[in-house]
């Protein structure tokens, strides 16, 4: 099921709508398409080979013990599948410079930490790291 929504409705968890029997996200494989007036950047694709490289960023500010535990649990589970997924977990103090230097080396990034959404300027939204915010604008610049 593909949901096409306006950019002003993106914060609503449509996948969690309940039809008196089950949640939509359980009944259907779901995706979103967002209509926006913002400039849309063309995707640049790169080759992905096995094992897939995954970066797990967990508790980058050092104050979310549950996020830390989540990151460790994901890495431990993926360590059992090293022939398919090679996971690196970065926990505790994670800095913007580390992300900028390394994020392109990974096929998948899992983030468990604080984030901030700026509805007036979504490009300024981003992940909260130890030394500041890694924004959507930073990703586009990469």
């Amino acid at each position: 099921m593909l949901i096409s929504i306006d950019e002003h409705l993106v914060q609503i968890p449509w996948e969690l709508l309940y039809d008196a029997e089950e949640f939509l996200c359980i009944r259907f494989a779901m995706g979103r398409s967002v209509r926006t007036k913002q400039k849309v950047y063309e995707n640049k694709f790169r080759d992905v080979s096995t094992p897939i490289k995954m970066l797990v960023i967990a508790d980058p500010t050092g104050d979310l013990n549950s996020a830390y535990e989540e990151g460790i649990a994901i890495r431990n589970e993926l360590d059992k599948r090293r022939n398919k997924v090679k996971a690196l977990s970065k926990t505790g103090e994670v800095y913007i410079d580390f992300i900028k230097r390394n994020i392109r080396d990974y096929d998948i990034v899992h983030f468990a930490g604080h984030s901030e959404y700026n509805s007036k300027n979504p490009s300024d939204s981003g992940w909260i790291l130890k030394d500041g915010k890694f924004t959507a604008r930073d990703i586009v610049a990469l």
Side-chain angles (χ1 to χ4, degrees), residues 91-102:
T91 61
E93 297 181 354
V94 180
Y95 296 91
I96 295 169
D97 188 53
F98 170 83
I99 301 297
K100 287 182 178 181
R101 278 192 334 265
N102 294 287

Side-chain angles (χ1 to χ4, degrees), residues 16-85:
L16 297 179
L17 287 176
Y18 189 74
D19 67 0
E21 292 182 29
E22 63 187 342
F23 294 100
L24 290 183
C25 62
I26 293 174
R27 180 174 288 187
F28 304 103
M30 297 190 66
R32 290 181 177 207
S33 173
V34 179
R35 291 183 307 273
T36 181
K37 293 179 183 174
Q38 294 183 43
K39 181 178 177 182
V40 177
Y41 295 92
E42 186 176 317
N43 290 332
K44 295 179 184 175
F45 296 98
R46 62 186 191 65
D47 292 332
V48 177
S49 60
T50 308
I52 294 171
K53 293 178 281 184
M54 181 174 182
L55 176 61
V56 179
I57 303 165
D59 188 24
T61 53
D63 62 348
L64 292 171
N65 192 52
S66 293
Y68 171 82
E69 291 173 3
E70 174 182 324
I72 297 302
I74 289 170
R75 192 214 49 228
N76 289 343
E77 190 62 33
L78 292 175
D79 278 349
K80 298 174 188 174
R81 296 167 176 80
R82 285 188 186 172
N83 60 328
K84 294 184 179 184
V85 180

Side-chain angles (χ1 to χ4, degrees), residues 60-61 94 111 113-116 126-134:
T61 53
V94 180
F111 180 82
H114 296 291
S115 63
E116 183 178 282
W127 299 335
I128 305 301
L129 303 174
K130 189 65 178 179
D131 60 341
K133 186 172 27 172
F134 180 70

